[in-house]
């Protein structure tokens, strides 16, 4: 009987050492000390059947073993807990001597940069920068600009309608000429940057959304020479002090006379290259003297006031400045492209 007890004790001690977590310790407790069917409990319970002379010796030894195993269990439990704590602390340790992780820095989109640079040049010439709505009415986008419903000029600007015939995504920044003049009296000097929309098939140089900057100057003695002077000043600041500006006769319903604006090709400086199709010139927008009917539409007296307007394409200018040959890069939000600016 005593031998049996000693063997049980040895096995219990060995098992305890092999138990590595709380679940194993609970199982061990049930196996040896469990009130229901613990091995040692069973022996203690069976003492009454042991012959009287042995009962005392076996009983004392069994109780001693029980106390010992309980103490060993308690010790093992706290050792495990301490180990877990140490591991957790180790895992959560922070090395305060490591250098910090730098946050990536954001930057301004190349179109935003170009718009700001252009507006800054015009600000030096006294032009305010203002903005207008991207959802426009037919009146501001077309009618007030001398483009009635049946005018063929509408075909040039395939329109995204919101309410057909009434509400649209503006096809040009020109409606802001009307908005500005309705709100102020001359002299007027303003530039209006912003997004415009046309229902066009996209390719390397066309997008359904792009940016324009509208310019408007109204005063009493304004001439086309003033227009030319302002555009030259702009070209010198944005492209090259040697840039030249060229007017080509054109037609816009809201200007008379009207001109297409070309600047010296920045890539070949006028010598001729693929970018300028070997002409030495690149078109950047349209311009002209504000049509008398447009002035009348905002209750400006065309006998007293005259002025010029222009609209330039921002993408075109950014593409020339940065040597980009694919307009869609601007709206694809690819960081490999954007982080270069
Ligand atoms: N709004 C015209 C377009 O998008 C460009 C333009 C031409 C603007 C002549 C003007 C202007 O202000 O005078 O095609």
């Amino acid at each position: 009987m005593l031998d049996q007890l000693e063997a049980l004790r040895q096995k219990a001690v060995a098992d305890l050492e092999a138990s590595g977590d709380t679940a194993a310790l609970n199982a061990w407790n049930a196996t040896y000390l469990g009130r229901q069917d613990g091995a040692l409990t069973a022996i203690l319970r069976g003492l009454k059947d042991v012959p009287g002379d042995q009962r005392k010796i076996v009983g004392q030894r069994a109780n001693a073993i029980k106390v010992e195993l309980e103490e060993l269990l308690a010790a093992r439990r706290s050792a495990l807990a301490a180990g877990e704590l140490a591991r957790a602390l180790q895992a959560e340790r922070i090395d305060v001597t490591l250098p910090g992780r730098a946050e990536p820095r954001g930057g301004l989109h190349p179109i935003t940069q170009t718009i700001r640079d252009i507006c800054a040049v015009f600000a030096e010439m006294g032009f305010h920068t203002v903005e207008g709505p991207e959802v426009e009415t037919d009146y501001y986008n077309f009618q007030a600009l001398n483009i009635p419903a049946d005018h063929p000029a509408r075909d040039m600007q395939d329109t995204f309608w919101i309410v057909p015939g009434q509400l649209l995504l503006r096809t040009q920044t020109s409606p802001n000429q009307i908005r500005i003049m309705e709100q102020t009296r001359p002299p007027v000097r303003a530039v209006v940057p912003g997004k415009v929309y046309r229902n066009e098939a996209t390719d390397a140089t066309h997008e359904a959304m792009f940016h324009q900057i509208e310019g408007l100057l109204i005063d009493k003695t304004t001439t086309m020479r003033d227009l030319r002077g302002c555009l030259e000043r702009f070209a010198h600041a944005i492209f090259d002090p040697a840039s030249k500006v060229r007017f080509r006769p054109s037609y816009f319903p809201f200007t008379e006379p009207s001109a297409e604006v070309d600047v010296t090709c920045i890539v070949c400086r006028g010598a001729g290259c693929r970018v300028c199709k070997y002409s030495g010139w690149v078109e950047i927008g349209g311009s002209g003297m504000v049509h008398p009917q447009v002035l009348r539409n905002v209750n400006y007296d065309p006998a007293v006031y005259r002025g010029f307007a222009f609209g330039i394409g921002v993408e075109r200018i950014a593409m020339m400045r940065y040597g980009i040959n694919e307009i869609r890069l601007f709206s694809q939000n690819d960081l490999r492209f954007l982080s270069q600016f």
Side-chain angles (χ1 to χ4, degrees):
M1 196 68 196
L2 275 177
D3 290 349
Q4 209 182 317
L5 257 182
E6 289 314 320
L8 183 67
R9 181 191 164 276
Q10 265 184 22
K11 187 159 185 311
V13 170
D15 276 2
L16 187 63
E17 259 152 38
S19 305
D21 57 29
T22 313
L25 289 185
N26 289 343
W28 181 91
N29 187 41
T31 307
Y32 295 101
L33 303 174
R35 236 166 261 183
Q36 292 293 324
D37 19 58
L40 194 61
T41 319
I43 288 175
L44 286 167
R45 222 179 259 143
L47 273 180
K48 58 182 186 309
D49 303 324
V50 176
D53 54 341
Q54 279 194 42
R55 190 183 303 155
K56 196 176 168 201
I57 304 168
V58 174
Q60 275 177 353
R61 185 61 191 137
N63 272 318
I65 290 173
K66 183 173 183 234
V67 170
E68 186 193 0
L69 289 183
E70 279 167 354
E71 277 166 3
L72 284 176
L73 176 63
R76 184 85 182 126
R77 276 201 204 281
S78 55
L80 267 184
E84 266 160 32
L85 182 63
R87 262 195 304 284
L89 284 177
Q90 182 63 30
E92 285 171 23
R93 219 178 88 185
I94 295 169
D95 183 350
V96 293
T97 66
L98 278 177
R101 239 174 260 135
E103 285 299 319
R105 267 182 83 190
L108 292 177
H109 192 282
I111 292 296
T112 306
Q113 287 184 37
T114 303
I115 285 175
R116 291 195 182 182
D117 291 348
I118 295 171
C119 291
V121 173
F122 282 101
E124 285 175 6
M125 294 187 264
F127 288 74
H128 297 273
T129 299
V130 297
E131 291 187 351
E134 289 174 27
V135 174
E136 262 300 3
T137 61
D138 186 85
Y139 177 76
Y140 284 107
N141 196 83
F142 292 127
Q143 291 171 44
L145 290 166
N146 216 16
I147 315 174
D150 54 0
H151 200 287
R154 290 202 178 203
D155 295 348
M156 302 273 296
Q157 303 184 355
D158 212 344
T159 307
F160 287 115
W161 290 99
I162 291 170
V163 179
Q166 290 174 41
L167 215 55
L168 49 85
L169 290 178
R170 68 181 178 197
T171 59
Q172 50 188 354
T173 45
S174 305
N176 293 291
Q177 294 185 26
I178 307 298
R179 290 186 174 278
I180 292 165
M181 289 190 285
E182 278 182 349
Q183 284 164 29
T184 53
R185 303 300 300 169
V188 172
R189 259 182 272 178
V191 282
V192 189
K195 292 180 166 61
V196 299
Y197 303 84
R198 292 187 196 176
N199 190 2
E200 295 202 45
T202 59
D203 62 26
T205 55
H206 294 90
E207 273 261 65
M209 183 279 290
F210 55 100
H211 297 77
Q212 291 184 335
I213 295 184
E214 194 76 13
L216 178 70
L217 186 149
I218 308 284
D219 212 324
K220 286 183 174 158
T221 58
T222 315
T223 69
M224 245 173 133
R225 289 193 49 155
D226 300 314
L227 167 61
R228 194 183 175 105
C230 287
L231 290 172
E232 262 167 12
R233 182 84 175 259
F234 146 79
H236 293 171
I238 296 295
F239 298 120
D240 180 341
S243 287
K244 289 198 168 64
V245 170
R246 177 174 86 167
F247 281 156
R248 268 180 299 114
S250 185
Y251 172 77
F252 299 101
F254 40 94
T255 44
E256 179 59 38
S258 304
E260 222 85 52
V261 183
D262 294 347
V263 296
T264 313
C265 176
I266 193 185
V267 178
C268 62
R269 292 171 191 261
C273 69
R274 271 170 54 195
V275 171
C276 60
K277 301 200 185 85
Y278 301 97
S279 71
W281 298 95
V282 179
E283 184 190 319
I284 59 160
S287 69
M289 300 304 292
V290 177
H291 196 289
Q293 184 56 48
V294 172
L295 295 174
R296 264 180 241 117
N297 290 345
V298 295
N299 291 321
Y300 280 16
D301 182 353
V304 180
Y305 296 114
R306 43 203 279 129
F308 65 71
F310 59 83
I312 44 193
V314 180
E315 274 77 0
R316 211 14 114 76
I317 287 165
M319 287 167 85
M320 285 209 287
R321 271 184 120 186
Y322 300 121
I324 298 163
N325 57 11
E326 168 59 79
I327 196 172
R328 288 169 288 196
L329 288 168
F330 288 126
S331 56
Q332 280 165 348
N333 273 346
D334 188 331
L335 279 179
R336 289 169 301 178
F337 171 75
L338 292 175
S339 58
Q340 297 176 59
F341 300 95

